[in-house]
Amino acid sequence: MKAELFYTSTRGKAHRITSSQAIVKGIADDGGLYVPSFIPALDLPMTELIKMDYRGLACYVLGKFLTDFTPEEIRICVARAYDDKFDSGDIAPLVKAGDAYFLELYHGATSAFKDMALSLLPHILTIAAKKSGIKKEIVILTATSGDTGKAALESFANVEGSRIIVFYPDKGVSLIQERQMITQEGKNVFVSAIKGNFDDAQTGVKNIFNDREILKLAEGGNYIFSSANSINIGRLIPQIVYYINSYLRLLERNEIKECNDINIVVPTGNFGNILAAYYAKKMGLPVQRFLCASNENNVLYDFINTGSYDRKRELKLTMSPSMDILISSNLERLLYDICDGDTDLLKGLYESLLNNGSFSINQQMRERMSDFWGGFANEEQTLSAIKKAFYSYGYLMDTHTAVGYYVYDDYKEITSDMTKTVIASTASPFKFPHSVLKAISKNPEEYENLDEFSMLDKLSETAHQEIPYPLKNIANKKILHHNICDISEMKDFVKKSLDI
Ligand SMILES: *Cc1c(COP(=O)(O)O)cnc(C)c1O
């Protein structure tokens, strides 16, 4: 008999809940993250999987994890998520440039990879809430380093039975990212900048989830909190799909043979996207190495190379703001896996992180993550990577993808490993026109005096590419949200938004 898949917290053994319950709750009461009790295997041969289009594959993979959903429910969610909001029929096209394959994850409604999961989440959440017998209004609390916020606002705006509240770091996101958020329409959307960085926003949100006073008030107001961040397992599962899809497309194009290993490069912040790739491998995808690429906030690079996670450092603001993170939440899920679910050990590590700002893992755990390679790029190297790809291969990439591309080149030089490599391309270059122009423009005077919105047109002209539809006309949209609060006032902002 097949074992039943259930969900449990990384920090407490006892509770077993269904996928719907895990998705509705977002984060466990003990502060841990929900993880599946095992990773289901791909039980069809590649020769069968290859026949599926993106939607078909999504239904297949989601069905393995969302075990209390019917196939019809999943099919409806997938059809609503991956429709003509995506400006590519392939949903996540794989584009070859030089010897690398860029997995473009930014063709959705807000031009960043967060759309891949967030287009789906409201549909899944609505069904999950029904299954769990929840009649309350669901409040999505979100901290964003720039891209999650807009993707969540866009997908939850005007969804019946939900409200969405987004906190972003003031001056910690790009001008375009901020404008995308503060022009969001919808009667159930609330947005505020906070005077702090992303880690402050994320910690503030996690604290609200565990704050008795506010939970009680929410209960009285008939609200229940959930999360659209990658701490929610419902965010991660849809992300597994595109890694498997990229492998199938390589097979289809005869770039690899069945069973050949590939490498996967992921520009990383909260460790969610790379964890999804790791889960794909655990399902049976042949992956040799995961290249975890960081910007100057290279806490993960240090961790992979030393086994010690040390957040006691200043957070730097870089041109890849969605990776300006020192507390990579989803690392906890990897650690859970490589210590075979030893929740006491994990609790100890995270207490140490809270109290001392650091923790170290044992040798055995280190060996079990030897398929991870850590690299990083500084600001200059990031620009050089954009320039190289553009002038050598005519390929235009954003600053986050460039961090990945730089680390890929560096890795090849160090190891001489020529394994075919997929690079997660996480945002449209048009989200960061200033930095991208800085990298490719031959004459700074051409753009330096322009405002960020005119730079969109300049970039379009310089790179001979059209501005993606979600970013066109953004300069003319009305600003609807003007809020800014201290970290200590986040709770009050939630109360005010919910009128509790
Ligand atoms: C969120 C984001 C990342 C980091 O992804 P994680 O899942 O947090 O590691 C990288 N690039 C872009 C453009 C992003 O929006």
Side-chain angles (χ1 to χ4, degrees), residues 97-98 102 383-397 402 405 409 440:
F102 290 89
L383 289 177
S384 75
I386 297 174
K387 188 169 174 182
K388 177 180 164 189
F390 185 67
Y391 286 106
S392 306
Y393 311 115
Y395 189 72
L396 191 70
M397 65 178 67
Y405 184 51
D409 258 356
I440 67 165

Side-chain angles (χ1 to χ4, degrees), residues 102-106 111-113 147 174 177 267 319-323 381-387 389-390 395-406 423-437 439-440 459 465 471:
F102 290 89
L103 174 56
E104 294 186 350
L105 303 172
Y106 56 77
S111 304
F113 92 84
D147 289 328
S174 86
Q177 288 175 319
M319 63 178 79
S320 45
S322 302
M323 294 156 60
Q381 291 163 336
T382 305
L383 289 177
S384 75
I386 297 174
K387 188 169 174 182
F390 185 67
Y395 189 72
L396 191 70
M397 65 178 67
D398 94 293
T399 47
H400 302 74
T401 309
V403 168
Y405 184 51
Y406 181 85
I423 301 179
S425 187
T426 51
S428 160
F430 287 91
K431 276 197 117 162
F432 309 93
H434 189 172
S435 304
V436 176
L437 276 169
I440 67 165
L459 182 57
Q465 273 187 29
L471 301 173

Side-chain angles (χ1 to χ4, degrees), residues 2 26 42 57 63 83 85 97 108 125 136 186 188 199 218 231 254 314 317 360 385 389 400 407 459 464 471 491:
K2 257 166 86 176
L42 296 171
L57 187 67
D83 60 7
K85 290 190 287 300
L125 195 64
K136 298 183 171 142
N188 61 339
D199 288 324
I231 52 176
N254 288 320
E314 206 53 44
L317 297 183
S360 297
H400 302 74
V407 168
L459 182 57
H464 306 290
L471 301 173
K491 214 170 121 176

Side-chain angles (χ1 to χ4, degrees), residues 167-185:
F167 294 103
Y168 68 92
D170 185 35
K171 302 189 181 67
V173 302
S174 86
L175 218 66
I176 303 254
Q177 288 175 319
E178 176 176 61
R179 190 61 71 95
Q180 279 185 297
M181 290 188 274
I182 61 180
T183 55
Q184 178 68 47
E185 295 172 16

